Coordinates of all heavy atoms in Angstrom, one line a residue:
L1 N -2.7 -3.9 20.4 CA -2.8 -4.3 19.0 C -2.4 -5.8 18.9 O -1.3 -6.1 19.3 CB -2.0 -3.5 18.0 CG -1.9 -4.0 16.6 CD1 -3.3 -4.0 15.9 CD2 -0.9 -3.2 15.8
I2 N -3.2 -6.6 18.4 CA -2.8 -8.0 18.1 C -2.8 -8.2 16.6 O -3.8 -8.0 15.9 CB -3.8 -9.0 18.7 CG1 -3.7 -8.9 20.2 CG2 -3.5 -10.4 18.2 CD1 -4.6 -9.9 21.0
M3 N -1.7 -8.5 16.0 CA -1.4 -8.7 14.6 C -1.4 -10.2 14.4 O -0.5 -10.9 14.8 CB -0.1 -8.0 14.2 CG 0.2 -8.2 12.7 SD -1.0 -7.5 11.6 CE -1.0 -5.7 12.1
A4 N -2.4 -10.7 13.6 CA -2.5 -12.1 13.3 C -2.5 -12.3 11.8 O -2.8 -11.4 11.1 CB -3.7 -12.7 13.9
P5 N -2.1 -13.5 11.3 CA -1.8 -13.7 9.9 C -3.0 -13.6 9.0 O -2.9 -13.1 7.8 CB -1.2 -15.0 9.8 CG -1.6 -15.8 11.0 CD -1.8 -14.7 12.1
T6 N -4.2 -14.1 9.4 CA -5.4 -14.1 8.5 C -6.6 -13.8 9.2 O -6.7 -13.9 10.5 CB -5.5 -15.5 7.9 OG1 -5.7 -16.5 8.9 CG2 -4.3 -15.9 7.1
Q7 N -7.7 -13.5 8.5 CA -9.0 -13.3 9.2 C -9.5 -14.6 9.8 O -10.1 -14.5 10.9 CB -10.0 -12.8 8.1 CG -10.0 -11.3 7.8 CD -10.4 -10.5 9.0 OE1 -11.2 -10.9 9.9 NE2 -9.9 -9.3 9.1
G8 N -9.2 -15.7 9.2 CA -9.7 -16.9 9.8 C -9.0 -17.2 11.1 O -9.6 -17.7 12.1
F9 N -7.7 -16.8 11.2 CA -7.0 -17.0 12.4 C -7.6 -16.0 13.5 O -7.7 -16.4 14.7 CB -5.5 -16.7 12.2 CG -4.6 -17.0 13.4 CD1 -4.3 -18.3 13.7 CD2 -4.1 -16.0 14.2 CE1 -3.5 -18.6 14.8 CE2 -3.4 -16.2 15.3 CZ -3.0 -17.5 15.6
L10 N -7.9 -14.8 13.1 CA -8.5 -13.9 14.1 C -9.8 -14.5 14.6 O -10.1 -14.3 15.8 CB -8.8 -12.5 13.4 CG -7.6 -11.6 13.2 CD1 -8.0 -10.3 12.5 CD2 -6.8 -11.4 14.5
R11 N -10.6 -15.1 13.7 CA -11.9 -15.7 14.2 C -11.6 -16.8 15.2 O -12.3 -17.1 16.1 CB -12.7 -16.1 13.1 CG -13.4 -15.0 12.3 CD -14.6 -15.5 11.5 NE -14.1 -16.3 10.4 CZ -13.7 -15.9 9.2 NH1 -13.7 -14.6 9.0 NH2 -13.3 -16.7 8.3
Y12 N -10.5 -17.5 14.9 CA -10.1 -18.6 15.7 C -9.8 -18.2 17.2 O -10.1 -18.9 18.1 CB -8.9 -19.3 15.1 CG -8.2 -20.5 15.8 CD1 -9.0 -21.6 16.0 CD2 -6.9 -20.4 16.1 CE1 -8.4 -22.7 16.7 CE2 -6.3 -21.5 16.7 CZ -7.1 -22.7 17.0 OH -6.5 -23.7 17.6
I13 N -9.2 -17.0 17.3 CA -8.7 -16.6 18.6 C -9.6 -15.6 19.3 O -9.4 -15.2 20.4 CB -7.3 -16.0 18.6 CG1 -7.3 -14.7 17.8 CG2 -6.3 -17.0 18.0 CD1 -5.9 -14.0 17.8
E14 N -10.6 -15.0 18.5 CA -11.3 -13.8 19.0 C -12.1 -14.0 20.3 O -12.4 -13.1 21.0 CB -12.3 -13.3 17.9 CG -13.4 -14.2 17.6 CD -14.2 -13.8 16.4 OE1 -14.0 -12.7 15.9 OE2 -15.2 -14.5 16.1
R15 N -12.4 -15.3 20.6 CA -13.2 -15.5 21.9 C -12.3 -15.7 23.1 O -12.8 -15.8 24.2 CB -14.1 -16.7 21.7 CG -15.2 -16.5 20.6 CD -16.1 -17.7 20.5 NE -17.1 -17.5 19.4 CZ -17.9 -18.4 19.0 NH1 -17.8 -19.6 19.5 NH2 -18.7 -18.2 18.0
V16 N -11.0 -15.8 22.9 CA -10.2 -16.1 24.0 C -10.0 -14.9 25.0 O -10.2 -15.1 26.2 CB -8.7 -16.5 23.5 CG1 -7.8 -16.7 24.7 CG2 -8.9 -17.8 22.7
L17 N -9.7 -13.7 24.4 CA -9.5 -12.6 25.4 C -10.7 -12.3 26.2 O -10.5 -12.1 27.4 CB -9.0 -11.4 24.6 CG -7.5 -11.4 24.3 CD1 -7.1 -10.3 23.4 CD2 -6.7 -11.4 25.6
P18 N -11.9 -12.2 25.7 CA -13.0 -11.9 26.6 C -13.1 -13.0 27.6 O -13.5 -12.7 28.8 CB -14.3 -12.0 25.6 CG -13.7 -11.6 24.3 CD -12.3 -12.2 24.3
S19 N -12.9 -14.3 27.4 CA -13.0 -15.3 28.4 C -11.9 -15.2 29.4 O -11.9 -15.8 30.5 CB -13.0 -16.7 27.7 OG -11.7 -17.0 27.3
L20 N -10.8 -14.5 29.1 CA -9.7 -14.3 30.0 C -10.0 -13.0 30.9 O -9.2 -12.7 31.7 CB -8.4 -14.1 29.3 CG -7.9 -15.3 28.4 CD1 -6.6 -14.9 27.7 CD2 -7.8 -16.5 29.2
G21 N -11.0 -12.3 30.6 CA -11.4 -11.2 31.4 C -11.1 -9.8 30.8 O -11.0 -8.8 31.4
E22 N -10.8 -9.8 29.4 CA -10.5 -8.6 28.8 C -11.3 -8.4 27.5 O -11.7 -9.4 26.9 CB -9.0 -8.5 28.4 CG -8.1 -8.5 29.6 CD -8.3 -7.3 30.5 OE1 -8.9 -6.3 30.0 OE2 -7.8 -7.3 31.7
S23 N -11.5 -7.2 27.1 CA -12.2 -7.0 25.8 C -11.6 -5.6 25.3 O -10.8 -5.0 26.0 CB -13.7 -6.9 26.0 OG -14.0 -5.8 26.9
G24 N -12.0 -5.3 24.1 CA -11.6 -4.0 23.5 C -10.2 -4.0 22.9 O -9.6 -2.9 22.6
V25 N -9.6 -5.2 22.7 CA -8.3 -5.3 22.1 C -8.5 -5.1 20.6 O -9.5 -5.6 20.0 CB -7.7 -6.6 22.4 CG1 -6.4 -6.9 21.6 CG2 -7.4 -6.8 23.9
V26 N -7.6 -4.5 19.9 CA -7.7 -4.3 18.5 C -7.0 -5.4 17.8 O -5.8 -5.7 18.0 CB -7.0 -2.9 18.1 CG1 -7.1 -2.7 16.6 CG2 -7.7 -1.8 18.8
M27 N -7.7 -6.1 16.9 CA -7.1 -7.3 16.2 C -7.1 -7.0 14.7 O -8.2 -6.7 14.1 CB -7.9 -8.5 16.6 CG -7.8 -8.9 18.0 SD -8.2 -10.6 18.4 CE -10.0 -10.6 18.0
L28 N -6.0 -7.1 14.1 CA -5.9 -6.8 12.6 C -5.0 -7.9 12.0 O -4.2 -8.5 12.6 CB -5.2 -5.4 12.4 CG -5.9 -4.2 13.0 CD1 -5.0 -3.0 12.7 CD2 -7.2 -4.0 12.2
T29 N -5.2 -8.0 10.7 CA -4.2 -8.8 9.8 C -3.3 -7.8 9.2 O -3.5 -6.6 9.1 CB -5.0 -9.5 8.7 OG1 -5.6 -8.6 7.8 CG2 -6.1 -10.4 9.4
P30 N -2.1 -8.3 8.6 CA -1.2 -7.4 8.0 C -1.8 -6.6 6.8 O -1.3 -5.5 6.5 CB -0.1 -8.4 7.5 CG -0.1 -9.5 8.4 CD -1.6 -9.7 8.8
G31 N -2.9 -7.2 6.2 CA -3.5 -6.5 5.1 C -4.4 -5.4 5.5 O -5.1 -4.8 4.7
E32 N -4.6 -5.2 6.8 CA -5.5 -4.2 7.3 C -4.8 -3.1 8.1 O -5.5 -2.2 8.7 CB -6.6 -4.8 8.3 CG -7.4 -5.9 7.6 CD -8.3 -6.6 8.6 OE1 -7.8 -7.0 9.7 OE2 -9.5 -6.9 8.3
L33 N -3.5 -3.1 8.2 CA -2.8 -2.2 9.1 C -2.9 -0.8 8.6 O -2.8 0.2 9.5 CB -1.3 -2.6 9.2 CG -0.4 -1.9 10.2 CD1 -1.0 -2.1 11.6 CD2 1.0 -2.3 10.1
F34 N -3.0 -0.5 7.3 CA -3.1 0.8 6.8 C -4.5 1.2 6.7 O -5.3 0.5 5.9 CB -2.3 1.0 5.5 CG -2.2 2.4 5.0 CD1 -1.2 3.2 5.4 CD2 -3.1 2.9 4.1 CE1 -1.1 4.5 5.0 CE2 -3.0 4.2 3.7 CZ -2.0 5.0 4.1

């Protein structure tokens, strides 16, 4: 689980993990945890 502050921030980082060789990571903001 990657907890990031905003949806904009998630979009900012979302392409990094696939380019590092990983996918399928769950990314949420604090307002989506429940």
Side-chain angles (χ1 to χ4, degrees):
L1 169 64
I2 294 180
M3 177 63 58
T6 63
Q7 276 294 330
F9 187 76
L10 286 179
R11 284 198 294 276
Y12 178 59
I13 67 174
E14 67 185 355
R15 294 181 185 171
V16 174
L17 278 172
S19 74
L20 300 180
E22 294 299 342
S23 60
V25 175
V26 181
M27 298 197 292
L28 299 173
T29 66
E32 299 171 318
L33 186 62
F34 188 84

